[in-house]
Amino acid sequence: MDERLARIRENERKSHTEIFLGEKLYDTDSWLKKPIRTVKEIVSVFDEYNDLHVLDLGCGIGRNSIFIAEKFRDKKCIIDCVDLLEIAVDKLSQNAKDRGVDSIINGVVGSIEEYRIRKDSYDLIMAVSALEHVETSDVFCRKLTEIKDGLRQNGVVCLVINSDVSEYNAKTKEQAEAQFEVNLPTAVIQSFLAEVFDDFCVLKKSVTRQEYDIPREGFISHLDTSVITFVAQKKV
Ligand SMILES: C[S@@+](CC[C@H](N)C(=O)[O-])C[C@H]1O[C@@H](n2cnc3c(N)ncnc32)[C@H](O)[C@@H]1O
């Protein structure tokens, strides 16, 4: 692992550990307050399913997966939840237990890079603010293809990806290193998505410019990002 990657991974580990230990799922003012709107919107696609297999890459403590598990608790549903951080998966399992959906949530400690997505296995594959944290843009592209192949017929891919990220010290205005392993221009990611999912039916596609302050190692960083949301369904 090169120096830049190791530095970003370590900073990420620290900041996520602090958030995951300090905050309670759905009972906080941070981003862990509720599932993302896009996930809430798309789950109705599966209302008639009796058997649902979901993959959540970079799942965190289950903000999106626990919501789906609760909705499908009376059906045959398995959600494979992958995260690099042991603390995330521990918290995810505890949250699942507390909410009576532990038989649905299958937590896996491991990297997105190494998790092998079996072909034709999933009805829904999501990666929310996670895919841009793989090691390189080559892995990023390979993972998109794996996701495509991993979906069953009518399966849905749901991606939220930060792009064109810039950061600067909010106080001194000095430029800071963006803490994203893969930081590509928005148009480049859009072209990858269009190419890989060219035979899918696009259900949602948007880019939202977001700015916010975020604590980094020893300073507050002002972060500017174009968030790509992409949802598409595999058709015959
Ligand atoms: C911004 S959080 C989002 C969590 C969750 N998807 C959500 O929306 O609440 C990113 C998560 O991805 C995990 N992560 C980062 N890089 C990863 C990698 N290469 N493999 C697996 N998980 C990773 C982090 O540990 C963290 O839990």
Side-chain angles (χ1 to χ4, degrees):
M1 192 183 290
D2 71 26
E3 247 177 60
R4 174 184 163 272
L5 193 66
R7 196 168 50 241
I8 293 177
R9 284 272 156 105
E10 179 56 12
N11 287 339
E12 234 183 298
R13 187 191 62 74
K14 282 187 191 153
S15 66
H16 280 116
T17 300
E18 195 178 319
I19 294 169
F20 294 159
L21 283 177
E23 302 198 10
K24 198 165 184 302
L25 187 66
Y26 305 149
D27 188 15
T28 170
D29 285 330
S30 76
W31 49 279
L32 292 169
K33 189 177 185 167
K34 53 186 179 193
I36 63 160
R37 183 163 13 120
T38 301
V39 166
K40 283 170 138 179
E41 286 165 1
I42 59 168
V43 281
S44 59
V45 167
F46 307 107
D47 278 352
E48 304 305 318
Y49 281 50
N50 288 313
D51 185 352
L52 188 67
H53 198 189
V54 177
L55 174 61
D56 186 356
L57 295 168
C59 60
I61 62 171
R63 169 168 69 138
N64 300 305
S65 282
I66 299 272
F67 165 75
I68 298 175
E70 290 191 298
K71 186 168 162 64
F72 291 92
R73 66 164 77 236
D74 298 327
K75 306 211 175 173
K76 193 174 161 216
C77 176
I78 291 292
I79 309 180
D80 296 323
C81 297
V82 181
D83 204 286
L84 204 53
L85 291 184
E86 201 169 343
I87 179 68
V89 176
D90 284 351
K91 283 274 171 186
L92 164 82
S93 305
Q94 191 55 54
N95 288 332
K97 211 176 261 179
D98 293 347
R99 289 171 176 267
V101 290
D102 44 324
S103 61
I104 292 179
I105 297 286
N106 173 36
V108 178
V109 179
S111 72
I112 295 171
E113 290 88 326
E114 279 168 14
Y115 185 81
R116 195 167 72 83
I117 306 175
R118 293 220 170 100
K119 285 195 176 178
D120 294 318
S121 300
Y122 292 101
D123 301 294
L124 170 64
I125 300 181
M126 25 179 205
V128 176
S129 307
L131 217 51
E132 59 274 48
H133 292 295
V134 296
E135 290 179 5
T136 62
S137 45
D138 283 351
V139 177
F140 181 93
C141 286
R142 176 168 60 75
K143 232 52 216 182
L144 288 182
T145 305
E146 260 185 56
I147 289 172
K148 171 186 172 146
D149 293 342
L151 286 166
R152 293 172 172 163
Q153 213 51 53
N154 294 318
V156 173
V157 53
C158 173
L159 305 174
V160 175
I161 306 166
N162 287 279
S163 66
D164 257 330
V165 184
S166 61
E167 296 195 31
Y168 62 81
N169 184 315
K171 200 170 161 193
T172 65
K173 310 287 183 228
E174 259 174 89
Q175 198 184 350
E177 179 179 60
Q179 297 299 300
F180 292 78
E181 291 83 335
V182 175
N183 185 12
L184 294 170
T186 310
V188 170
I189 297 183
Q190 284 173 316
S191 72
F192 289 160
L193 294 171
E195 197 176 312
V196 173
F197 298 103
D198 63 334
D199 50 352
F200 277 44
C201 172
V202 175
L203 303 180
K204 182 172 180 176
K205 196 168 66 167
S206 67
V207 179
T208 317
R209 198 76 198 153
Q210 287 184 11
E211 282 182 60
Y212 50 89
D213 287 344
I214 184 167
R216 296 292 189 208
E217 196 65 6
F219 69 100
I220 299 294
S221 177
H222 185 82
L223 191 147
D224 205 318
T225 170
S226 288
V227 182
I228 299 173
T229 299
F230 180 80
V231 183
Q233 188 167 32
K234 192 176 201 171
K235 292 290 185 193
V236 244

